[in-house]
Amino acid sequence: MGDEESEEAMKKYHVDLPAAERDELLRLSRSGKSSGRKLTRAQILLKADEQLTDEEIAEAVGTSVATIERTRQRFVEEGLGALSERPRPGARPKLTAKGVAHVIAVACSTAPGGRKRWTLRLLADRAVELGLCSEFSHESVRRLLKKPRSNRGSISSGVFLT
């Protein structure tokens, strides 16, 4: 037990919830109307306020010690803002909404001469030819057309996806 106490004392980020924040976190965790990640963060902060070790919290909440440490740090730096999602990294979309609509319209049109259907590679090449983007892969076309709201047209003029 002595090891755990010294480990907690050495922690850089301590969670000490004021009554109002504790009440807010309890209300949030009981309502169950928030995202799973937000609820997990709320539970982490409540358990950290009870002075449980990171390992105990990880076991109780079902997450990793690294997540506990990040949540502690964010709480100390941002307060209850630590519950919110941060923007995730990733590449920006290559096509605008208008470009996506244009590719879908091309996919629904008659295939180019000598072809029975549009292929994903042909559509990707056409998007580049039309200047919608500087480069576009057939896999990006597949994902774009797979979105539930896109209509690939009738069987005779639609994209062949197999």
Side-chain angles (χ1 to χ4, degrees):
M1 195 65 129
D3 264 350
E4 289 176 4
E5 289 175 17
S6 64
E7 187 179 309
E8 282 300 310
M10 290 176 18
K11 288 222 172 285
K12 187 173 180 179
Y13 302 102
H14 294 277
V15 174
D16 188 22
L17 293 170
E21 289 180 348
R22 174 175 267 289
D23 292 344
E24 174 69 17
L25 292 174
L26 286 169
R27 184 195 59 75
L28 183 74
S29 63
R30 287 183 186 137
S31 73
K33 292 187 179 187
S34 297
S35 73
R37 290 180 181 178
K38 194 171 198 174
L39 291 173
T40 299
R41 290 184 192 113
Q43 291 171 349
I44 288 169
L45 293 174
L46 287 167
K47 297 211 178 287
D49 188 51
E50 295 170 8
Q51 306 307 312
L52 296 176
T53 66
D54 288 355
E55 290 76 16
E56 291 170 330
I57 297 170
E59 188 175 323
V61 177
T63 191
S64 69
V65 172
T67 299
I68 310 293
E69 291 168 350
R70 276 192 310 273
T71 304
R72 280 181 187 273
Q73 179 178 354
R74 283 192 63 199
F75 175 75
V76 169
E77 293 171 352
E78 304 172 25
L80 289 183
L83 298 175
S84 303
E85 290 286 323
R86 284 184 173 165
R88 294 178 181 219
R92 295 189 189 279
K94 293 188 187 232
L95 292 178
T96 62
K98 206 173 204 177
V100 168
H102 199 83
V103 170
I104 292 171
V106 169
C108 294
S109 69
T110 306
R115 300 282 186 152
K116 191 174 180 181
R117 300 187 168 125
W118 281 100
T119 66
L120 298 178
R121 290 179 197 279
L122 282 173
L123 286 169
D125 292 344
R126 182 59 56 98
V128 174
E129 286 171 18
L130 294 171
L132 301 174
C133 54
S134 60
E135 59 181 352
F136 205 57
S137 72
H138 69 283
E139 179 61 18
S140 296
V141 174
R142 184 193 66 78
R143 283 193 306 267
L144 178 146
L145 295 175
K146 189 175 180 183
K147 289 187 180 175
R149 291 191 208 129
S150 68
N151 178 357
R152 294 185 295 268
S154 66
I155 294 171
S156 63
S157 65
V159 173
F160 187 63
L161 292 175
T162 57

